[in-house]
Amino acid sequence: GAVVSQHPSRVICKSGTSVKIECRSLDFQATTMFWYRQFPKQSLMLMATSNEGSKATYEQGVEKDKFLINHASLTLSTLTVTSAHPEDSSFYICSAQRPGLAGGFSYEQYFGPGTRLTVT
Amino acid sequence: QQQVKQSPQSLIVQKGGISIINCAYENTAFDYFPWYQQFPGKGPALLIAIRPDVSEKKEGRFTISFNKSAKQFSLHIMDSQPGDSATYFCAAYNFNKFYFGSGTKLNVKP
């Protein structure tokens, strides 16, 4: 099966500090990775879409200077929350889109287990 | 503007019963419709998905029914079990982006 990991699973940081969250596709090379934010009992909110080697595409209303995304390789994307504030506390989830047969397009998207960020 | 509308918000079903969750969309350019299951504190997991050229897809106890003309699709969980208690999200895909429904919290009573 397709496995996506996230690290850390939980992080508590102080207001004003930066936090980095890693997302890895463990058994496939992801053509595209997505970053979502989820508030309690709510749906997933897409923050940005990233492709390896290119700049991430941010959704409207998401501050690109605050939420830095680096897609370093076909198996790793990182989200850095800079100068975190309590309102940034949330559940952050990444997903990876697996290529289809022979490297072609596939719709299948697999999610990581999520990272619970608490900013104090 | 919500691209994918999901109902009901919550659902209680007796063990062995059928759980039905509905979604509707407006954008006819959507070309892939997945359903995800999410347990508390976990990431969503792909459950089943369908393309618009198919009216129904079944995998085990899970079935997607797709009505292209009505722009609606639904998830049916047959013989619902307490282990199915989770939040379910429908989604639709277009132009490198997934649009999610608001979620349905399913509670299957033993």
Side-chain angles (χ1 to χ4, degrees), chain B residues 52-88:
Chain B
D53 53 348
V54 177
S55 61
E56 184 175 281
K57 184 175 181 179
K58 183 176 181 179
E59 289 184 2
R61 296 185 294 112
F62 302 94
T63 299
I64 298 179
S65 295
F66 188 83
N67 187 329
K68 189 174 182 178
S69 60
K71 291 185 282 187
Q72 296 175 348
F73 58 110
S74 60
L75 175 69
H76 296 236
I77 306 175
M78 312 300 285
D79 187 25
S80 299
Q81 299 296 313
D84 296 331
S85 297
T87 299
Y88 292 81

Side-chain angles (χ1 to χ4, degrees), chain A residues 43, chain B residues 1-7 23-27 30 89-90 99-103:
Chain A
S43 189
Chain B
Q1 181 186 359
Q2 194 172 7
Q3 297 263 4
V4 181
K5 295 183 180 179
Q6 183 172 345
S7 63
C23 284
Y25 64 96
E26 285 299 323
N27 187 349
F30 288 140
F89 293 97
C90 63
Y99 297 84
F100 284 85
S102 54

Side-chain angles (χ1 to χ4, degrees), chain A residues 11 21 36-40 86-92 115-119:
Chain A
V11 58
I21 303 170
Y36 296 88
R37 184 173 180 177
Q38 187 177 36
F39 293 101
E87 57 266 30
D88 298 325
S89 298
S90 190
F91 192 51
Y92 292 87
T115 296
R116 173 73 59 192
L117 169 64
T118 303
V119 185

Side-chain angles (χ1 to χ4, degrees), chain A residues 30-87:
Chain A
T31 51
T32 303
M33 286 186 168
F34 303 87
W35 286 95
Y36 296 88
R37 184 173 180 177
Q38 187 177 36
F39 293 101
K41 299 183 180 180
Q42 292 191 25
S43 189
L44 291 83
M45 183 189 80
L46 179 64
M47 299 176 66
T49 302
S50 74
N51 295 288
E52 185 263 344
S54 60
K55 289 185 178 180
T57 302
Y58 290 82
E59 293 300 297
Q60 192 173 9
V62 178
E63 299 175 59
K64 59 180 68 176
D65 293 331
K66 181 169 187 60
F67 298 99
L68 300 178
I69 292 172
N70 184 286
H71 198 145
S73 73
L74 286 171
T75 60
L76 173 64
S77 177
T78 60
L79 168 68
T80 301
V81 183
T82 62
S83 187
H85 291 281
E87 57 266 30

Side-chain angles (χ1 to χ4, degrees), chain B residues 17-54:
Chain B
I18 302 173
S19 303
I20 302 175
I21 305 170
N22 301 298
C23 284
Y25 64 96
E26 285 299 323
N27 187 349
T28 56
F30 288 140
D31 56 3
Y32 175 71
F33 302 87
W35 284 91
Y36 295 92
Q37 178 190 57
Q38 186 179 30
F39 293 103
K42 304 294 183 184
L46 178 63
L47 201 57
I48 188 172
I50 199 167
R51 296 288 310 279
D53 53 348
V54 177

